[in-house]
Amino acid sequence: MFYPEEIIEEVRSRNDIVDVISGYVGLKKAGRTYKCCCPFHNEKTPSFTVSREKQMYHCFGCGVGGNVYTFLMKYDNLTFPEALKTLADRAGVSLPESELTPKEKQEISRREKLYEVNKAAAGYYHYLLLKSERGKLGRDYYENKRGFTRETIAQFGLGFSDIYADDLYKYLKSKGYPDELMRDAGLVVFDEKRGPHDKFWNRVMVPIADQNGRVIAFGGRVLGDGKPKYMNSSETDIFNKSRHLFNMNMAKRSRRKGFILCEGYMDVISQYQAGFDNAVASLGTAFTSGQASLLKRYSSEIYLAYDSDGAGRAATMKAIHILREAEMQQRVIRLSPWKDPDEFIRNEGAEAYEERIREAMPGRMFEIELMAEEHNLFDPEEKTAFIKAASASLAEIDDVATRQSYMEAVARKYMIEPEILKRETTAVGMAGLAKKKPEELRERETLRRKEAEPPETAAGAYLLSVMVADPALFRRLKDVISPEDFIGEPLHTVAERIFQQVKDTGTAVPAAIISLFDEAEQQELVSRLLTREFPFKLGDDDYNQAVTDIVIRVKLLRIEKEQREASDANAIQLARKKNQIRNLRIRFDQ
């Protein structure tokens, strides 16, 4: 779909990248930029950086980067027209009617067909469960073993996959769906020995919908002793396990406070039937930061209702840390003596569960309670170890008043002298600050080794990034530096565009440059080129000297390149130029 460059730029400029990305991940201010753990790869130290000045993002860990369009395209798996429309709607911009290109028509059509074949499969599974004699095993499981009503079964579109391993394949084939589409949707597996066979068979089926209610995948529980007991769809172009949550499409409309996060589909369905329609579950994997960001779009208050066994408690702690990093409130619902929400509601009833929700424990107190259980508090040495462990947790709380409230609560509950707990917490906090700088330096050194670039590209990108961050440099360096000094692609093209922007508008807009490149690899490379800055804040004199040094470096590298390609006749002239550049002086008082 072709849209004029002016429209693309207007939509981009009216969607601040920090505001948009904050709706997906928990950004924290870090100097002139914002940082968080990258939503596109697993990491412990935040390396995903978003610049409001440049309207760009870049991960110094995995290398992804771009502008607000590329973020939406990558995060929500959208085409460019879909990302443009999403941002246009957000900003209240009316897009002109425009024809789709053949490639765009093909991409959109393929995605729609994936939704369509998943919907057809869900309909068939549901039909087998309720309308076919073959679904008797599934009906017995849902109605008798789980206690689900027909209304609940219909609400969630629950189904049944038959004992025949090619049953769904034959049905979809009869409806005209091609093999390639069934394979890409993760519904049918093809191999030389067995031929086409269903991914799910002899299982009760749970359709998984996206937040708009479209079926994107399935979960299945085996009937009998087969393994694995639970199975989920593989990831596809419309299904990403780490960014979707089961029942999010209905839970987001709930009038209840916050969300109840639990481990499995059956827990969610059981709670829904009991009136707790704000329950959601992760999709066969551990809870992720991407799922936390999805929840945060609608509420920052999360109630954790994971299993009460050891594995469930460990999963609860992981979820607490992810939610804490996203700056979301976490409270833990105590389910003991029962294992999970389903067992609790079956035995105690909805009113008792409501009471447990009201009594839910703050995540920090749950964390410290687990620490207490690991120590014998009647043993002086073990109690000292517990105080140190609890202090390390309390020291993580930034807000002074909140930290004080928690220290008082912990001291009271575990009979600790308040002043001792305060001193220990302060000491742990100061020790953490002392360790922070070396960790940042190690991370920066790892990044330096990772970015194996030609020296002329590294130097040129550094200078261009500094100039974009300080537009006054374009005026001060007007007669000193030009796009021709930036050698190598795409650096040279980017420099030409930015210098032209400054000439035409008086300012540099690097985010607009990214939209000119079609390939994701090029966009990420451009974002890396333009997201550099001096690692430390410099005084005026040091800053001026640093800029002068990098300008000299860039110009010398260009001359050296010309020397390698020059004839003997020009060698003396180029050598003279190099001497002049080494003695370059720049006026910063212009």
Side-chain angles (χ1 to χ4, degrees):
M1 181 178 292
F2 174 78
Y3 285 103
E5 192 175 319
E6 298 77 28
I7 290 290
I8 294 172
E9 179 55 17
E10 180 187 357
V11 172
R12 188 205 60 74
S13 65
R14 291 176 65 171
N15 283 276
D16 180 79
I17 193 167
V18 172
D19 294 341
V20 172
I21 293 182
S22 291
Y24 292 82
V25 296
L27 293 177
K28 290 185 178 180
K29 193 86 165 65
R32 287 166 37 176
T33 61
Y34 294 79
K35 295 185 77 174
C36 68
C37 287
C38 181
F40 303 118
H41 83 286
N42 293 322
E43 62 176 2
K44 295 181 179 179
T45 304
S47 58
F48 185 84
T49 302
V50 184
S51 170
R52 177 164 271 150
E53 293 174 348
K54 298 176 182 178
Q55 288 295 301
M56 295 167 60
Y57 71 91
H58 188 78
C59 175
F60 292 101
C62 67
V64 299
N67 60 13
V68 69
Y69 289 121
T70 57
F71 179 84
L72 253 63
M73 290 167 67
K74 189 169 183 68
Y75 193 94
D76 282 336
N77 198 22
L78 303 179
T79 62
F80 179 78
E82 290 171 331
L84 178 65
K85 186 177 187 311
T86 298
L87 292 171
D89 291 345
R90 182 180 184 275
V93 177
S94 298
L95 294 176
E97 293 294 325
S98 181
E99 283 296 319
L100 292 169
T101 66
K103 182 179 179 182
E104 289 166 343
K105 285 181 181 178
Q106 186 178 16
E107 287 178 355
I108 292 174
S109 174
R110 182 174 178 278
R111 289 168 63 86
E112 290 303 321
K113 286 176 181 175
L114 287 171
Y115 291 123
E116 183 186 325
V117 75
N118 274 297
K119 183 179 179 181
Y124 184 63
Y125 290 143
H126 190 60
Y127 168 82
L128 285 182
L129 178 71
L130 295 184
K131 305 294 184 181
S132 169
E133 184 60 29
R134 290 184 286 162
K136 185 176 184 304
L137 285 174
R139 291 194 297 274
D140 179 63
Y141 175 81
Y142 277 135
E143 294 178 346
N144 298 325
K145 291 187 178 179
R146 286 290 180 177
F148 295 161
T149 65
R150 285 294 176 100
E151 183 182 359
T152 298
I153 290 171
Q155 183 69 52
F156 284 89
L158 302 180
F160 171 73
S161 59
D162 208 346
I163 59 173
Y164 305 108
D166 60 352
D167 187 58
L168 178 67
Y169 172 72
K170 288 180 177 178
Y171 170 76
L172 294 176
K173 197 72 174 174
S174 73
K175 295 298 180 181
Y177 293 105
D179 290 357
E180 182 183 6
L181 184 64
M182 290 185 249
R183 182 199 66 206
D184 292 350
L187 297 169
V188 178
V189 179
F190 295 84
D191 62 48
E192 292 183 4
K193 288 185 177 181
R194 297 178 59 188
H197 56 278
D198 300 347
K199 180 176 177 70
F200 300 98
W201 55 279
N202 192 34
R203 292 175 182 270
V204 286
M205 300 299 294
V206 180
I208 299 167
D210 64 13
Q211 64 190 73
N212 297 313
R214 297 175 297 189
V215 179
I216 56 175
F218 294 90
R221 186 199 187 280
V222 73
L223 293 177
D225 298 325
K227 291 185 178 180
K229 184 177 180 181
Y230 289 97
M231 179 186 289
N232 294 297
S233 293
S234 303
E235 293 194 348
T236 67
D237 285 350
I238 60 173
F239 174 54
N240 184 312
K241 292 179 184 179
S242 66
R243 294 183 203 149
H244 290 99
L245 286 162
F246 178 65
N247 196 44
M248 192 67 205
N249 57 311
M250 292 192 285
K252 70 179 185 180
R253 300 194 297 266
S254 174
R255 294 181 178 276
R256 284 184 164 272
K257 185 179 180 182
F259 292 102
I260 301 173
L261 179 63
C262 48
E263 289 191 61
Y265 313 125
M266 301 306 172
D267 286 331
V268 169
I269 298 169
S270 177
Q271 288 176 87
Y272 187 96
Q273 184 168 277
F276 304 95
D277 58 355
N278 58 334
V280 296
S282 48
L283 302 168
T285 59
F287 184 64
T288 69
S289 58
Q291 291 165 337
S293 300
L294 176 59
L295 291 170
K296 195 174 181 180
R297 296 187 204 178
Y298 304 97
S299 175
S300 290
E301 190 163 358
I302 308 299
Y303 293 84
L304 292 159
Y306 283 9
D307 290 359
S308 58
D309 58 13
R313 284 146 66 99
T316 299
M317 280 308 309
K318 289 181 181 178
I320 285 173
H321 290 151
I322 290 171
L323 292 166
R324 191 180 292 160
E325 182 66 29
E327 298 183 332
M328 300 171 71
Q329 184 178 346
Q330 335 92 41
R331 303 187 79 85
V332 180
I333 301 172
R334 309 307 298 269
L335 299 171
S336 58
W338 309 107
K339 179 186 176 184
D340 54 38
D342 180 42
E343 277 192 9
F344 187 100
I345 291 170
R346 282 167 174 265
N347 289 278
E348 302 282 348
E351 286 188 16
Y353 192 63
E354 186 82 73
E355 182 66 23
R356 290 292 178 99
I357 292 174
R358 284 195 292 269
E359 296 172 349
M361 176 185 295
R364 184 79 61 178
M365 292 301 292
F366 177 80
E367 178 180 35
I368 292 173
E369 182 178 275
L370 292 188
M371 294 174 185
E373 291 176 4
E374 293 172 355
H375 296 83
N376 177 5
L377 301 188
F378 294 100
D379 181 293
E381 291 189 3
E382 288 211 22
K383 185 164 185 177
T384 298
F386 163 68
I387 292 172
K388 290 182 179 296
S391 298
S393 177
L394 295 170
E396 294 174 355
I397 304 173
D398 292 329
D399 184 74
V400 176
T402 303
R403 185 168 62 247
Q404 181 63 32
S405 296
Y406 270 98
M407 285 193 293
E408 291 173 0
V410 171
R412 185 167 53 250
K413 182 173 182 178
Y414 297 104
M415 294 180 289
I416 303 170
E417 182 65 37
E419 191 57 35
I420 291 175
L421 185 62
K422 182 178 180 180
R423 283 203 307 268
E424 188 64 33
T425 300
T426 301
V428 171
M430 294 302 293
L433 287 175
K435 292 179 181 177
K436 189 174 181 181
K437 188 173 180 181
E439 288 174 358
E440 292 175 345
L441 291 174
R442 283 196 297 273
E443 182 179 324
R444 190 174 297 118
E445 178 62 20
T446 300
L447 170 62
R448 188 191 65 77
R449 290 195 301 269
K450 188 172 183 176
E451 292 182 345
E453 298 172 324
E456 59 270 18
T457 300
Y462 218 114
L463 176 59
L464 199 57
S465 291
V466 172
M467 293 176 72
V468 167
D470 184 3
L473 287 175
F474 283 93
R475 184 184 71 254
R476 291 168 179 158
L477 302 176
K478 182 179 179 182
D479 299 323
V480 177
I481 204 85
S482 74
E484 300 307 315
D485 291 307
F486 298 88
I487 52 181
E489 290 297 344
L491 180 62
H492 178 68
T493 298
V494 172
E496 284 187 324
R497 291 280 188 167
I498 288 181
F499 273 75
Q500 190 63 46
Q501 281 181 340
V502 174
K503 181 179 178 182
D504 294 342
T505 66
T507 188
V509 189
I513 304 291
I514 290 176
S515 298
L516 302 176
F517 293 86
D518 295 329
E519 300 297 327
E521 186 177 344
Q522 291 177 309
Q523 293 170 346
E524 290 173 1
L525 178 56
V526 172
S527 81
R528 190 170 80 231
L529 294 175
L530 295 175
T531 48
R532 316 203 182 174
E533 57 187 36
F534 291 127
F536 304 105
K537 186 172 178 59
L538 302 172
D540 289 344
D541 291 342
D542 290 336
Y543 175 80
N544 295 345
Q545 186 58 55
V547 171
T548 301
D549 291 344
I550 195 67
V551 167
I552 291 173
R553 174 73 170 152
V554 168
K555 294 185 74 67
L556 284 176
L557 286 167
R558 178 194 170 188
I559 295 296
E560 289 169 1
K561 181 177 184 293
E562 290 180 359
Q563 283 181 316
R564 290 192 297 270
E565 300 169 354
S567 63
D568 292 340
N570 292 327
I572 296 175
Q573 184 180 357
L574 290 173
R576 189 178 297 120
K577 269 189 176 182
K578 283 181 71 172
N579 287 330
Q580 291 173 346
I581 290 170
R582 288 193 180 98
N583 296 316
L584 181 66
R585 295 290 181 268
I586 300 172
R587 289 191 59 189
F588 288 92
D589 56 351
Q590 300 180 66

